[in-house]
């Protein structure tokens, strides 16, 4: 199947999104915005188009503007969904049940199942997650599933505060620490595994600073976007991860969006 069958649809979605400024989207109910995400993910999750075919769209200069619009929307909606769920958890009488209603909950379970093949998560491990956001779901589920302890690194003060409130509501505040700052906050802290969020930016700075801090044994897992899923967000480049050796990559299946990559520092 030719990837060009989606050419006009991608442009059409981008054109429809251009009708909205951020303030307009922020006023729209989430149930009215989710169908737009569904239309984008229908393309992103195509099972037939191979990586080489996908590159015809993703690398085409004429598609650059459309992809920028779609990727901006994807980041906006992801942030809004997490913040909305964090607020719902805080006001819920059954926070765990509320958490399970999160739009991406099942996808996170699938993603972590993949990542557990890269690094076996155990109660003895302490995982640092760079870019924890208002809902540090990766660390919450790692603790729930594997009893793994965690440190969430979040650079925005109000987001870090919201994250701490969510963890307290879920009874996980003694298992997961929230640190306000960037990746440099890892200095002088104990951990076994580092994970880098798909939306953590800027990638080159993050990985350069990690290279300065870690040894050659420390596993670093980062999430990226490959194939048609890269219409959702720009992939991590080899330039960004220079100084690291790529050991294993696990591609997503089903509705999981992220490819998970295990790297280690080389000297």
């Amino acid at each position: 199947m030719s990837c060009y069958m989606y050419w006009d649809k991608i442009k059409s979605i981008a054109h429809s999104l251009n009708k909205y400024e951020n303030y307009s989207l922020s006023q729209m109910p989430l149930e009215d915005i989710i169908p737009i995400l569904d239309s984008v993910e229908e393309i992103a999750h195509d099972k037939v188009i191979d990586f080489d075919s996908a590159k015809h769209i993703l690398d085409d200069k004429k598609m650059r503007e459309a992809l920028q619009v779609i990727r901006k929307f994807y980041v906006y909606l992801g942030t809004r969904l997490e913040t909305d769920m964090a607020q719902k958890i805080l006001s819920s009488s059954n926070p765990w049940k509320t958490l399970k209603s999160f739009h991406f909950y099942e996808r996170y379970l699938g993603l972590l199942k993949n990542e557990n093949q890269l690094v076996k998560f155990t109660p003895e491990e302490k995982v640092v997650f760079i870019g924890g956001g208002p809902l540090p779901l990766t660390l919450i589920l790692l603790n729930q599933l594997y009893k793994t302890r965690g440190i969430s690194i979040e650079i925005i003060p109000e987001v870090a505060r919201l994250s701490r409130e969510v963890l307290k509501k879920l009874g996980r505040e003694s298992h997961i620490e929230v640190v306000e700052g960037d990746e440099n906050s890892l200095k002088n802290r104990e951990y076994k595994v580092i994970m880098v969020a798909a939306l953590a930016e800027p990638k080159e700075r993050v990985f350069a600073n990690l290279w300065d801090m870690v040894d050659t044994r420390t596993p670093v897992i980062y999430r990226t976007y490959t194939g048609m899923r890269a219409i959702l967000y720009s992939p991590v480049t080899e330039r960004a991860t220079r100084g690291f050796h790529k050991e294993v990559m696990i591609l997503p299946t089903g509705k999981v969006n992220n490819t998970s990559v295990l790297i280690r520092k080389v000297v």
Side-chain angles (χ1 to χ4, degrees):
M1 181 184 296
S2 171
C3 62
Y4 290 104
M5 66 177 290
Y6 290 124
W7 190 284
D8 289 338
K9 187 170 184 179
I10 291 173
K11 287 186 175 181
S12 176
I13 293 171
H15 179 72
S16 67
L17 287 171
N18 267 330
K19 296 178 183 177
Y20 307 106
E21 296 292 340
N22 285 339
Y23 70 86
S24 298
L25 282 173
S26 66
Q27 298 302 315
M28 290 177 64
L30 281 173
E31 57 266 26
D32 293 339
I33 303 178
I34 293 297
I36 305 176
L37 175 64
D38 291 341
S39 66
V40 175
E41 289 191 328
E42 179 185 349
I43 303 171
H45 297 160
D46 186 284
K47 297 179 181 179
V48 178
I49 296 176
D50 59 37
F51 279 25
D52 289 336
S53 297
K55 283 176 68 64
H56 289 305
I57 282 182
L58 300 171
D59 293 345
D60 192 280
K61 292 181 180 179
K62 296 178 182 178
M63 296 300 294
R64 189 171 298 162
E65 184 177 346
L67 291 175
Q68 286 176 344
V69 172
I70 290 173
R71 288 167 174 173
K72 181 179 179 181
F73 165 74
Y74 180 70
V75 172
Y76 162 78
L77 183 56
T79 302
R80 183 172 169 186
L81 284 169
E82 285 197 17
T83 303
D84 179 75
M85 178 51 60
Q87 298 292 355
K88 286 181 178 178
I89 288 170
L90 295 183
S91 61
S92 175
S93 59
N94 191 335
W96 280 98
K97 182 178 180 180
T98 300
L99 177 63
K100 290 179 180 179
S101 71
F102 182 53
H103 184 76
F104 295 123
Y105 185 86
E106 293 297 327
R107 303 189 198 190
Y108 269 80
L109 291 177
L111 182 58
L112 288 172
K113 181 179 179 181
N114 287 345
E115 291 168 344
N116 192 45
Q117 298 177 59
L118 299 176
V119 176
K120 293 298 180 183
F121 299 111
T122 68
E124 290 73 35
E125 305 288 349
K126 178 173 279 191
V127 175
V128 170
F129 193 85
I130 298 172
L135 184 69
L137 188 53
T138 291
L139 294 177
I140 292 169
L141 291 179
L142 282 177
N143 184 254
Q144 180 76 353
L145 296 171
Y146 307 109
K147 309 302 180 186
T148 303
R149 295 168 296 142
I151 301 174
S152 176
I153 306 294
E154 174 52 52
I155 197 168
I156 302 175
E158 57 268 29
V159 174
R161 286 193 292 271
L162 178 57
S163 180
R164 291 188 189 99
E165 292 175 9
V166 168
L167 291 170
K168 185 174 182 180
K169 183 75 174 185
L170 293 169
R172 289 297 182 270
E173 72 274 20
S174 62
H175 304 281
I176 302 169
E177 178 186 3
V178 178
V179 175
E180 184 183 314
D182 63 17
E183 64 280 354
N184 288 301
S185 305
L186 293 181
K187 292 177 181 177
N188 302 318
R189 292 182 179 274
E190 294 184 1
Y191 52 84
K192 292 292 184 66
V193 181
I194 295 174
M195 300 180 73
V196 181
L199 305 188
E201 294 288 352
K203 292 291 193 306
E204 290 196 20
R205 187 204 71 198
V206 170
F207 287 109
N209 285 334
L210 288 181
W211 193 92
D212 286 337
M213 285 184 277
V214 303
D215 57 34
T216 57
R217 299 184 305 277
T218 303
V220 177
I221 296 174
Y222 70 83
R223 294 170 177 172
T224 187
Y225 297 82
T226 54
M228 285 303 293
R229 283 169 170 80
I231 69 171
L232 302 172
Y233 198 76
S234 299
V236 176
T237 65
E238 290 186 6
R239 176 179 173 81
T241 58
R242 61 188 182 278
F244 290 89
H245 170 67
K246 183 187 297 185
E247 293 193 353
V248 189
M249 178 173 72
I250 297 184
L251 298 175
T253 57
K255 291 188 175 183
V256 174
N257 284 330
N258 292 138
T259 291
S260 300
V261 185
L262 171 64
I263 58 176
R264 294 183 203 269
K265 174 179 175 176
V266 291
V267 293

